[in-house]
Amino acid sequence: MHYAQTEVYAEDPKEQVLHLERKEDDSAGEESASAADRILRMETQNLSVYYQEVRGVDRVDMPVYADRVTALIGPSGCGKTTFLRSLNRMHDLTKGARVTGKALLDGKDIYAPGQDPILVRRKIGMVFQKPNPFPTMSIYDNVSSGLRLAGIRKRSILDEAVEYSLTHAALWNEVKDRLKSHAFSLSGGQQQRLCIARALAVEPEVILMDEPTSSLDPKGTASIEELITMLKEEVTIIMVTHNMHQAMRISDYTAFFYLGSLIEFGRTKQIFTHPREEKTEEYVGGQFG
Amino acid sequence: MNKGTRGYSRRRVSPIYRSWGDFIFSTILLMLGASIIFLAIAMAWVLWREGSPSIRRHGFFGFLMGSTWDPVGGVHGARPFITGTLITSFSSLLIAFIPAVSAAVISAEYAPSWLARIIDTLIDLLAAIPSVVIGIWGIFVFAPFMRDRIYLPLSFWAADHAPRLLPALGNPVSYNLTTAVIVLSFMIIPYITALTRDAIHLVPKDQREAAWALGATRWEVIRLAVLPYARGGIAAGAVLSLARAVGETMAVAMLIGNANNLPFRLFQPATTMPAVIVNEFREAVEQMHYASLMAVGLYLFIIAFIVNLAAASIQKRLSVGGRML
């Protein structure tokens, strides 16, 4: 790991944010390292995930910078999806899965005793490989489902949140006249944007995306990629992708996983142009994968 | 390289096998399949032919609406039986539906796998009990229990405090409408449960995960993702169970008391279409009596057919990807 860490906490205890000084040893010239780049939203410390006794993710230390897109790449079975799903405690639901180590969100371990996984998942939303809107619900009900779960019933709040989320998911103009029609009447790309809007509606700090374009056609893929680059203004995104060009196009940071370990983490440009590790170079150079 | 199979795999396919194989196979399948459809049609036709003297005398709707059933006088109206069939089957579905769906949700969502296996086995076992066995349990155990613990106390209470209820309750006897409805609901629970459970198992994982990822609790996942997705299968299960309740003969005939005294009262005997057929077919020596029983059979056939069609259409409309979406 090529970053040195100095933990600095903000003064307001609610806004505790870890600051991280990166050693910019070889690509410093290209980076305008603004202050925002140093704000940590999440960080894993020695995070391992076990299935039964098999270790799927092996002692990962990784930072996630606020309002940036972090891409997780690596060959299939390398643990990137497993790692992603450990970041909002989705593994709590997998029988025989166990997580050790820490995953900090704004300085607090989401695996600490007393942390409610339900609340963790409201702070860290998720978008899946296949668009999975609720098929029996309307577009409006899909987007507002997270808020209604949180107990919000007031129509004006829901209306506003639905419009806000759909606008930010770049779907509002396409569906504003048919909010009551069923979610399945949308195209694949639209459905995926609907799922992103559904995740956005509860104003999460982080959105995890598990190969969000892998089941979409090129047009749908382009729309999601464009959306992701827009969304990082307001939300931190961690995205698993099997498509290295996609990682290059839209991510700010890239983490390369291999055999359950984090081999290298760095700025996307650096990972793809000057990887430090031999394994990374082989993978991004297309020698295996 | 596996050398041994090439000689076999390159063998010439005989022309007769090639050109006739498909034809023979599909012809056999067609004949076997058509024979089942033919059987159903033939049965309906026989019911019509044998029942038509009575339907012709009383009229299609006259037979349906008439409430006098007098084999000696030759007057036949099926309304008590049809009313009884509809009341017993719909009420038993009403009683059975929520407990049955709850059992399915517990087995599919909440119970650890060992407990789910036990629940599933017990439910399947319940479905496998012959209806005459349930009937005899009803006669000797359930009906006396209900009379002593429910019907009589309730009637006495009503006589003292709410005499207006008495006409609805009737004179309490063991074998009555309520006994039959409750036992019938026991009998259809396993069907609704099994079909609901299957429908729940078919809900894709990504639907549940969508709800989990929004911060849903376990029961919210069921409410938000599982039950809505499975509703087509659940509704179809309910309607198919209704069809079973409509056709259920033995246990109902043993427990309902068999009296066609409209209007029905809760604690007094009633009757249904299958019950009247099974009770009277031995005595049907009069031509018109025989024809009337056949006609009841025909109407039962039609009702069962309609219920099954309704089940198919409900499943199609409510299931995901169906017309309601």
Side-chain angles (χ1 to χ4, degrees):
Chain A
M1 291 305 307
H2 289 267
Y3 63 95
Q5 185 179 315
T6 51
E7 295 182 356
V8 183
Y9 289 97
E11 300 205 336
D12 181 358
K14 279 188 182 166
E15 283 291 308
Q16 277 187 351
V17 166
L18 281 167
H19 293 263
L20 216 88
E21 301 280 338
R22 273 173 36 80
K23 242 193 263 170
E24 307 290 359
D25 44 357
D26 60 353
S27 52
E30 301 166 6
E31 292 168 15
S32 55
S34 65
D37 272 318
R38 303 244 175 77
I39 298 175
L40 264 185
R41 180 63 74 206
M42 290 189 80
E43 183 184 28
T44 64
Q45 293 173 354
N46 208 21
L47 189 88
S48 299
V49 185
Y50 297 83
Y51 289 117
Q52 314 294 355
E53 287 312 309
V54 181
R55 186 150 59 189
V57 170
D58 189 2
R59 288 165 294 177
V60 170
D61 297 293
M62 197 187 96
V64 178
Y65 295 103
D67 300 339
R68 292 290 175 269
V69 177
T70 304
L72 312 179
I73 62 167
S76 359
C78 68
K80 53 192 193 298
T81 293
T82 304
F83 175 72
L84 186 81
R85 293 167 66 92
S86 71
L87 296 180
N88 71 342
R89 298 194 60 169
M90 284 300 266
H91 282 310
D92 290 18
L93 311 163
T94 314
K95 265 184 197 158
R98 191 160 56 83
V99 177
T100 63
K102 284 181 177 175
L104 306 179
L105 171 68
D106 293 334
K108 290 194 203 87
D109 184 10
I110 62 170
Y111 284 98
Q115 280 278 17
D116 183 356
I118 303 295
L119 287 179
V120 167
R121 292 188 203 114
R122 288 189 186 157
K123 290 184 212 161
I124 308 176
M126 195 159 188
V127 174
F128 297 85
Q129 280 192 18
K130 254 177 56 189
N132 55 358
F134 298 123
T136 58
M137 289 184 198
S138 66
I139 293 169
Y140 183 96
D141 287 344
N142 259 285
V143 178
S144 61
S145 53
L147 294 170
R148 284 182 290 127
L149 275 183
I152 298 168
R153 290 278 175 277
K154 221 174 149 195
R155 196 75 191 181
S156 56
I157 299 179
L158 293 179
D159 284 347
E160 201 179 317
V162 166
E163 179 172 354
Y164 173 89
S165 314
L166 284 172
T167 307
H168 282 73
L171 195 58
W172 177 251
N173 286 331
E174 290 158 61
V175 301
K176 64 181 172 199
D177 299 323
R178 47 176 179 142
L179 291 174
K180 291 286 160 219
S181 53
H182 276 285
F184 267 23
S185 62
L186 301 174
S187 74
Q190 287 174 323
Q191 284 185 28
Q192 193 64 301
R193 274 179 283 156
L194 179 66
C195 293
I196 292 173
R198 184 174 63 186
L200 280 175
V202 293
E203 292 187 44
E205 274 86 345
V206 182
I207 293 186
L208 310 176
M209 299 189 178
D210 184 5
E211 300 192 17
T213 63
S214 64
S215 70
L216 303 180
D217 60 14
K219 194 163 160 260
T221 302
S223 74
I224 299 294
E225 288 187 3
E226 195 187 332
L227 174 59
I228 290 172
T229 49
M230 272 160 34
L231 275 180
K232 67 176 180 183
E233 307 279 317
E234 53 207 301
V235 65
T236 307
I237 293 170
I238 308 172
M239 181 180 72
V240 165
T241 177
H242 62 274
N243 180 338
M244 279 188 278
H245 294 286
Q246 184 172 63
M248 247 188 292
R249 279 195 297 270
I250 60 177
S251 70
D252 303 293
Y253 293 91
T254 297
F256 171 59
F257 281 76
Y258 184 63
L259 297 179
S261 299
L262 176 60
I263 304 296
E264 187 169 354
F265 175 87
R267 284 190 173 270
T268 297
K269 205 171 230 173
Q270 174 255 312
I271 293 280
F272 284 101
T273 53
H274 304 99
R276 294 185 184 90
E277 303 288 330
E278 204 181 318
K279 210 74 209 167
T280 315
E281 192 167 357
E282 285 173 20
Y283 182 71
V284 301
Q287 291 183 35
F288 73 100
Chain B
M1 191 66 195
N2 184 354
K3 292 218 164 89
T5 58
R6 185 170 283 174
Y8 296 99
S9 64
R10 305 291 152 85
R11 201 164 52 179
R12 266 174 55 82
V13 178
S14 112
I16 291 179
Y17 178 87
R18 188 157 44 195
S19 57
W20 287 87
D22 259 347
F23 175 75
I24 293 170
F25 185 64
S26 61
T27 308
I28 291 174
L29 284 188
L30 186 71
M31 277 161 56
L32 290 175
S35 67
I36 292 171
I37 297 168
F38 172 77
L39 210 62
I41 293 173
M43 225 179 272
W45 182 71
V46 168
L47 285 172
W48 166 253
R49 194 192 57 191
E50 300 295 307
S52 57
S54 176
I55 295 176
R56 244 183 249 122
R57 176 189 283 189
H58 303 97
F60 188 86
F61 290 102
F63 187 79
L64 210 63
M65 297 315 292
S67 56
T68 311
W69 183 265
D70 178 11
V72 184
V75 182
H76 296 91
R79 192 165 72 174
F81 318 134
I82 292 170
T83 317
T85 290
L86 294 179
I87 288 179
T88 50
S89 50
F90 276 99
S91 328
S92 61
L93 176 62
L94 215 62
I95 294 174
F97 185 71
I98 291 188
V101 171
S102 312
V105 169
I106 287 170
S107 144
E109 293 288 325
Y110 282 99
S113 54
W114 62 269
L115 184 60
R117 252 200 312 277
I118 294 175
I119 295 174
D120 293 352
T121 312
L122 287 176
I123 295 284
D124 293 348
L125 204 66
L126 199 57
I129 302 175
S131 79
V132 69
V133 174
I134 292 184
I136 207 161
W137 168 78
I139 284 180
F140 290 117
V141 181
F142 186 69
F145 171 86
M146 289 297 280
R147 183 195 57 212
D148 295 345
R149 296 297 167 85
I150 310 279
Y151 305 152
L152 284 176
L154 213 59
S155 295
F156 289 143
W157 177 86
D160 289 344
H161 298 97
R164 275 180 306 133
L165 286 180
L166 283 177
L169 299 180
N171 294 324
V173 292
S174 307
Y175 311 122
N176 63 29
L177 190 64
T178 308
T179 311
V181 164
I182 293 174
V183 169
L184 198 51
S185 65
F186 291 161
M187 295 176 74
I188 62 173
I189 279 178
Y191 291 88
I192 306 175
T193 302
L195 290 162
T196 301
R197 195 179 59 209
D198 293 349
I200 289 177
H201 282 313
L202 284 176
V203 176
K205 191 168 154 241
D206 65 5
Q207 285 290 315
R208 292 164 205 272
E209 289 189 333
W212 284 120
L214 288 170
T217 61
R218 186 176 277 272
W219 92 267
E220 285 168 339
V221 171
I222 295 170
R223 199 195 62 193
L224 203 66
V226 176
L227 291 181
Y229 199 97
R231 66 183 185 183
I234 296 172
V239 182
L240 286 176
S241 308
L242 184 69
R244 187 176 148 71
V246 165
E248 174 53 44
T249 307
M250 209 54 228
V252 174
M254 289 163 88
L255 293 169
I256 201 164
N258 303 304
N260 57 347
N261 41 5
L262 269 180
F264 294 135
R265 301 175 207 286
L266 279 177
F267 297 163
Q268 256 179 250
T271 189
T272 67
M273 299 162 85
V276 75
I277 294 175
V278 78
N279 280 320
E280 295 191 6
F281 75 95
R282 273 180 258 91
E283 314 149 11
V285 284
E286 292 277 336
Q287 178 57 35
M288 198 45 71
H289 190 191
Y290 165 79
S292 300
L293 287 182
M294 278 296 193
V296 171
L298 178 68
Y299 284 93
L300 188 59
F301 188 94
I302 292 170
I303 291 177
F305 188 67
I306 291 172
V307 169
N308 276 290
L309 280 185
S313 123
I314 286 173
Q315 182 169 29
K316 208 169 167 189
R317 288 178 53 189
L318 284 186
S319 56
V320 167
R323 250 178 296 162
M324 295 281 280
L325 300 174

